[in-house]
Amino acid sequence: MLLLRCPLPLLLLMLPLDSRPQKLPTRDEELFQMQIRDKAFFHDSSVIPDGAEISSYLFRDTPKRYFFVVEEDNTPLAVTVTPCDAPLEWKLSVQELPEEASGEGSGDPEPLEQQKQQITNEEGTELFSYKGNDVEYFVSSSSPSGLYQLDLLSTEKDTHFKVYATTTPESDQPYPELPYDPRIDVTSLGRTTVTLAWKPSPTASLLRQPIQYCIVINKEHNFKSLCAVEAKLSSDDAFMMAPKPGLDFSPFDFAHFGFPADNNSGKERGFLKSSKFGRQTSPKPRVDLHRVCIGNKNIFTVSDLKPDTQYYFDMFAVNTNTNMSTAYVGTFARTKEEAKQKTVELKDGKVTDVFIKRKGAKFLRFAPVSSHQKVTFSVHSCLDAVQIQVRRDGKLLLSQSVEGVRQFQLRGKAKAKYLIRLKGSKRGASMLKILATSRPNKQSFPSLPEDTRIKAFDKLRTCSSVTVAWLGTQERNKFCIYKREVDDNYNEEQKKREQNQCLGPDTRKKSEKVLCKYFHSQNIQKAVTTETIRGLQPGKSYLLDVYVIGHGGHSVKYQSKLVKTRKFC
């Protein structure tokens, strides 16, 4: 018994039979393994090999027929058809083998055209038919001998499909087996995360075959086969590697691939003649679709999803030996809504402190009580950069990243209301101070130079003093310098953690104060001041801080400077 897989079946369908009596060969496993490795053998062939999955293509409204031979009665038979990106109509039928092929007759062979006509014209007995986009099976424990025909048709669009047939279904088992409960469970649901769990495939847990699980996430619908997923993905979009432990999966830089759902594709045969696959030149719209293979674990968290959004989740068990897959029952879930943000009211001319969680956001509202020509927003980011957006009556006026102190002046409008959105850093929590005013002379934040570093002069170091310099501005401000002794192993990482620019001199000990002085220069090129700090200990390290204090009393700290006195003088 055999599903034809060698040149002899091709002889039956394409060549005159030999004049000697013939009997179809039995399965030669060594020959078969050699032939299925030779992909060109079955390329564009109408013969289905025994025990190997083939992939092929259908043009819309153009039927395709495949053949295979079962030589002996009472032979087990299994046929699986997998539609990819369109529903299929398919039918399996059987007819008696041509008399000369049975091996019982002899004499002159029938002419080739007569054999082909005999195969084509005889419809045979229909065994099974199906219409739809499910992966469907025909299984029989006892099939009659004969010439089997598999007819396929796509009425919607050009499409791919896969076919697998075997006469040894009990031993082959190329598709992973599903557990008794093949559903995917949603075990945890958040605003941006969904945790999935599923029961392992018996193929892995009992048969010890290598199985890996692949998850597919999208916003449109569930998929019934991995073949359907592949039709949606870009041809150069490969499977992702399994994520590192604890990170799981951050999707959503998506690509899309598929054959065009063009209702005219079947009519425009002039175009199809010039293209082997009949693909349109205009790309289809991108879709949110992604897949990731995660090895053999059976719990997984999908992260970085959008709040209040419905997602569809599909799971496929893939036999890594055969690269054939079986679909679990897909599921869907809607992420939780984003927590409603409280809007903070800003008072004209008053500084407001704002704290933002990592990756979080805060909303503020400013409504000047009187008519105004201009409105000024002053922002002091204490740690990392923050993102600010300002809308006036719904219209976006400003979108900027702010590091340090920034001031923005916008044109005013009578009875206008301003909505400010502040977005924090991805690296950690953010702190800032913000002032909004419609009075142009109301400025609480001091002006700063572009460079807020403190420079130390190495040649002027002594065992008891250091000399430093810093830049000022054209605006007359008060500068206060503070020192603090630190350990010799004090490093840049510790210094970075203390770089909160919003902490003022009022948080420092009185013993750490060196001096305060006023300073400015109309010539910005000469706005530099120096100071020698005395009374230090030999060979000791000190952290120096300079604060500039504005007219409204608000202070901003320059970047801290680590210095060390000479040990020997």
Side-chain angles (χ1 to χ4, degrees), residues 322-527:
T322 64
N323 204 30
M324 296 165 76
S325 60
T326 305
Y328 279 64
V329 177
T331 188
F332 61 90
R334 178 174 289 274
T335 50
K336 291 183 179 180
E337 292 183 8
E338 189 76 75
K340 292 185 177 179
Q341 295 279 352
K342 293 182 179 180
T343 303
V344 178
E345 293 287 342
L346 295 179
K347 294 183 179 181
D348 198 328
K350 184 178 179 180
V351 176
T352 300
D353 294 305
V354 181
F355 175 81
I356 308 173
K357 294 180 180 179
R358 177 178 175 267
K359 293 186 178 181
K362 284 288 178 70
F363 291 88
L364 303 93
R365 182 175 174 270
F366 179 55
V369 295
S370 58
S371 61
H372 56 285
Q373 293 183 338
K374 293 181 180 180
V375 62
T376 302
F377 294 95
S378 299
V379 181
H380 182 191
S381 176
C382 306
L383 299 171
D384 294 323
V386 295
Q387 194 78 20
I388 180 173
Q389 285 186 347
V390 179
R391 296 179 184 271
R392 184 185 64 204
D393 299 331
K395 182 180 180 181
L396 182 65
L397 301 180
L398 171 70
S399 181
Q400 287 279 336
S401 178
V402 176
E403 193 167 6
V405 176
R406 291 287 300 275
Q407 182 174 292
F408 305 99
Q409 197 169 71
L410 306 175
R411 182 177 298 177
K413 186 178 180 182
K415 299 181 181 180
K417 294 180 177 60
Y418 299 86
L419 181 66
I420 302 99
R421 180 179 185 267
L422 299 169
K423 187 175 181 182
S425 168
K426 294 181 179 180
R427 292 183 288 184
S430 300
M431 291 186 292
L432 58 94
K433 295 178 181 288
I434 184 169
L435 177 143
T437 182
S438 57
R439 293 170 283 179
N441 295 326
K442 185 72 174 179
Q443 301 296 334
S444 293
F445 290 86
S447 59
L448 288 176
E450 290 186 4
D451 190 347
T452 59
R453 292 176 298 175
I454 302 171
K455 177 177 174 58
F457 297 96
D458 185 65
K459 291 184 178 180
L460 300 180
R461 277 193 310 142
T462 70
C463 292
S464 61
S465 68
V466 293
T467 300
V468 294
W470 64 89
L471 299 178
T473 64
Q474 294 173 315
E475 180 182 328
R476 187 171 185 267
N477 286 315
K478 182 180 179 181
F479 294 86
C480 294
I481 186 165
Y482 283 73
K483 64 173 173 49
R484 177 165 64 91
E485 185 178 335
V486 294
D487 295 335
D488 288 339
N489 58 0
Y490 187 88
N491 55 38
E492 289 296 321
E493 186 62 31
Q494 290 173 284
K495 188 174 75 172
K496 185 177 180 181
R497 287 199 296 266
E498 298 180 6
Q499 286 298 316
N500 186 344
Q501 291 187 338
C502 294
L503 295 178
D506 54 326
T507 63
R508 304 296 295 262
K509 296 177 182 179
K510 289 184 178 180
S511 60
E512 295 176 349
K513 184 178 179 180
V514 177
L515 60 86
C516 290
K517 68 177 183 179
Y518 287 89
F519 164 70
H520 78 289
S521 176
Q522 293 300 323
N523 185 348
I524 194 66
Q525 303 295 329
K526 297 181 179 180

Side-chain angles (χ1 to χ4, degrees), residues 178-387:
L178 291 177
Y180 67 90
D181 182 2
R183 295 174 297 179
I184 305 172
D185 295 322
V186 177
T187 60
S188 177
L189 192 63
R191 290 191 296 271
T192 60
T193 61
V194 173
T195 300
L196 307 172
W198 57 94
K199 293 178 175 59
S201 166
T203 305
S205 57
L206 299 179
L207 301 180
R208 304 297 180 185
Q209 292 191 24
I211 297 295
Q212 71 169 342
Y213 299 100
C214 297
I215 300 175
V216 174
I217 306 101
N218 79 105
K219 297 180 183 177
E220 292 187 353
H221 55 76
N222 288 109
F223 289 89
K224 298 183 178 181
S225 69
L226 203 52
C227 174
V229 174
E230 290 165 352
K232 288 287 186 181
L233 290 173
S234 169
S235 58
D236 59 357
D237 177 31
F239 275 94
M240 294 174 59
M241 298 298 292
K244 295 180 180 178
L247 296 180
D248 275 4
F249 167 49
S250 292
F252 307 121
D253 179 14
F254 296 142
H256 170 70
F257 171 79
F259 291 92
D262 186 352
N263 293 331
N264 296 322
S265 60
K267 299 176 182 178
E268 299 176 358
R269 292 305 178 191
F271 169 77
L272 294 179
K273 288 178 182 177
S274 63
S275 174
K276 182 176 181 181
F277 295 109
R279 293 181 61 184
Q280 303 290 346
T281 55
S282 58
K284 294 180 70 174
R286 291 167 63 91
V287 294
D288 287 343
L289 171 66
H290 206 81
R291 62 181 176 182
V292 56
C293 293
I294 59 170
N296 59 5
K297 63 180 179 178
N298 62 330
I299 186 169
F300 189 73
T301 297
V302 184
S303 60
D304 285 354
L305 303 176
K306 293 182 179 179
D308 194 25
T309 303
Q310 182 159 300
Y311 290 92
Y312 294 85
F313 303 94
D314 291 290
M315 173 62 57
F316 300 93
V318 181
N319 187 326
T320 56
N321 280 344
T322 64
N323 204 30
M324 296 165 76
S325 60
T326 305
Y328 279 64
V329 177
T331 188
F332 61 90
R334 178 174 289 274
T335 50
K336 291 183 179 180
E337 292 183 8
E338 189 76 75
K340 292 185 177 179
Q341 295 279 352
K342 293 182 179 180
T343 303
V344 178
E345 293 287 342
L346 295 179
K347 294 183 179 181
D348 198 328
K350 184 178 179 180
V351 176
T352 300
D353 294 305
V354 181
F355 175 81
I356 308 173
K357 294 180 180 179
R358 177 178 175 267
K359 293 186 178 181
K362 284 288 178 70
F363 291 88
L364 303 93
R365 182 175 174 270
F366 179 55
V369 295
S370 58
S371 61
H372 56 285
Q373 293 183 338
K374 293 181 180 180
V375 62
T376 302
F377 294 95
S378 299
V379 181
H380 182 191
S381 176
C382 306
L383 299 171
D384 294 323
V386 295
Q387 194 78 20

Side-chain angles (χ1 to χ4, degrees), residues 8-151:
L8 287 173
L10 295 180
L11 291 175
L12 172 66
L13 302 174
M14 303 175 61
L15 301 174
L17 296 176
D18 192 274
S19 60
R20 294 172 293 175
Q22 291 189 5
K23 181 177 177 63
L24 293 174
T26 56
R27 174 165 169 166
D28 183 334
E29 191 65 28
E30 183 178 352
L31 177 62
F32 168 60
Q33 293 299 331
M34 178 192 71
Q35 290 168 343
I36 63 172
R37 287 192 295 268
D38 182 8
K39 301 299 183 182
F41 179 76
F42 293 111
H43 180 68
D44 289 336
S45 169
S46 58
V47 177
I48 300 177
D50 186 2
E53 187 179 62
I54 63 168
S55 299
S56 193
Y57 189 79
L58 276 175
F59 289 113
R60 185 169 72 93
D61 294 331
T62 303
K64 184 172 275 191
R65 174 172 289 180
Y66 288 89
F67 299 92
F68 60 89
V69 169
V70 173
E71 184 183 271
E72 301 174 359
D73 288 332
N74 304 318
T75 297
L77 177 63
V79 178
T80 303
V81 177
T82 303
C84 290
D85 53 344
L88 295 180
E89 298 178 22
W90 64 274
K91 178 181 68 174
L92 181 67
S93 57
V94 62
Q95 59 179 284
E96 291 185 4
L97 290 170
E99 184 177 348
E100 292 297 320
S102 66
E104 297 176 358
S106 60
D108 295 333
E110 296 177 352
L112 175 60
E113 291 302 319
Q114 185 176 343
Q115 293 182 47
K116 292 174 65 177
Q117 184 179 8
Q118 179 182 2
I119 293 174
T120 304
N121 292 343
E122 293 182 13
E123 289 298 324
T125 303
E126 182 177 314
L127 300 177
F128 183 81
S129 64
Y130 173 76
K131 181 179 180 180
N133 59 357
D134 284 326
V135 179
E136 194 55 67
Y137 313 86
F138 169 80
V139 180
S140 174
S141 59
S142 179
S143 297
S145 62
L147 178 65
Y148 284 74
Q149 297 175 185
L150 178 64
D151 296 287

